[in-house]
């Protein structure tokens, strides 16, 4: 659906709140690409919003810029409230947890800290991602490693461990 020109200011505020309206624009623009929305932060009044997008190969500044310009055009035409809206479109950042299964593939070869639903934490190198699980190689001792499969349904959170050494391919 093409939002430009279809919704009047009255309809925007009666049907969708600003966060939902912008979220719909982003999801429509990313449809069919390898990029996707992974999170939204907003203050209670929804005047300060942050949209986080990611992709199978990461996310580029160009994609963020294109989305931002599109949203600006639509808001300039459709938003008539007295409250200014501030929004930001960016990648989630290296220190943010992975929240979408599609995010894992780009981190194969990196170390993850995974917390399961029972609050157990395991750290290891991400070796493989399937539709239902991830495979980590964990260090048991100095010379011994173990492979551990963890189903997505059992993952509470996963964080990529920041490393400055070259990534294994």
């Amino acid at each position: 659906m093409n939002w430009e020109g279809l919704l009047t200011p009255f309809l925007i505020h009666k049907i969708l709140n600003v966060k939902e309206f912008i979220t719909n624009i982003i999801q429509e623009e990313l449809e069919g690409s390898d990029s996707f929305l992974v999170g939204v932060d907003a203050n209670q009044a929804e005047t300060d919003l942050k949209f986080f997008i990611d992709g199978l190969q990461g996310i580029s500044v160009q994609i963020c810029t294109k989305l931002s310009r599109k949203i600006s055009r639509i808001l300039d035409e459709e938003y008539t409230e007295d409250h200014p809206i501030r929004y930001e479109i960016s990648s989630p950042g290296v220190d943010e947890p992975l929240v979408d299964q599609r995010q894992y593939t780009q981190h194969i070869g990196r170390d993850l800290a995974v917390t399961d639903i029972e609050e157990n934490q395991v750290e290891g190198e991400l070796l493989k991602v399937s539709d239902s699980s991830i495979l980590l190689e964990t260090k048991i001792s100095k010379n011994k490693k173990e492979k551990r499969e963890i189903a997505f349904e059992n993952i509470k959170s996963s964080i990529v461990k920041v490393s400055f050494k070259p990534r294994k391919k």
Side-chain angles (χ1 to χ4, degrees):
M1 174 180 266
N2 185 354
W3 293 100
E4 292 180 339
L6 290 182
L7 294 177
T8 65
F10 174 77
L11 287 177
I12 289 173
H13 300 295
K14 298 302 177 198
I15 298 172
L16 301 172
N17 60 35
V18 175
K19 182 173 86 174
E20 289 174 337
F21 182 67
I22 295 173
T23 297
N24 287 340
I25 294 168
I26 292 171
Q27 288 175 331
E28 180 182 295
E29 286 298 308
L30 297 178
E31 191 174 315
S33 73
D34 72 346
S35 301
F36 44 91
L37 183 68
V38 293
V40 181
D41 285 339
N43 63 355
Q44 192 168 358
E46 293 187 4
T47 55
D48 191 11
L49 303 126
K50 293 180 183 176
F51 297 88
F52 301 103
I53 57 174
D54 208 342
L56 300 178
Q57 302 298 319
I59 203 70
S60 70
V61 172
Q62 290 82 6
I63 291 172
C64 294
T65 302
K66 178 184 172 190
L67 285 169
S68 184
R69 287 180 180 154
K70 173 103 177 184
I71 292 164
S72 286
R73 277 194 316 271
I74 294 170
L75 287 179
D76 285 348
E77 292 174 10
E78 302 293 343
Y79 189 74
T80 60
E81 292 289 323
D82 294 333
H83 313 294
I85 300 236
R86 259 193 347 217
Y87 67 91
E88 177 183 322
I89 298 175
S90 69
S91 69
V94 70
D95 56 342
E96 291 296 316
L98 304 178
V99 296
D100 188 300
Q101 285 182 224
R102 296 172 287 184
Q103 289 180 284
Y104 284 83
T105 305
Q106 67 180 303
H107 297 293
I108 291 174
R110 291 190 171 133
D111 289 337
L112 296 183
V114 179
T115 304
D116 67 19
I117 56 175
E118 296 175 353
E119 299 295 329
N120 299 312
Q121 188 172 29
V122 62
E123 290 188 21
E125 180 185 344
L126 180 60
L127 298 178
K128 183 180 174 186
V129 179
S130 73
D131 290 339
S132 60
S133 65
I134 60 172
L135 182 64
L136 293 179
E137 183 174 68
T138 61
K139 190 181 255 188
I140 302 300
S141 64
K142 185 175 180 179
N143 296 321
K144 188 175 180 186
K145 294 182 179 181
E146 174 182 88
K147 291 182 181 172
R148 182 165 175 196
E149 186 172 10
I150 306 170
F152 283 115
E153 64 191 29
N154 294 327
I155 296 175
K156 182 177 179 182
S157 71
S158 293
I159 297 177
V160 178
K161 303 294 284 182
V162 179
S163 174
F164 296 103
K165 62 183 179 181
R167 193 165 82 168
K168 297 176 189 175
K169 294 273 178 164

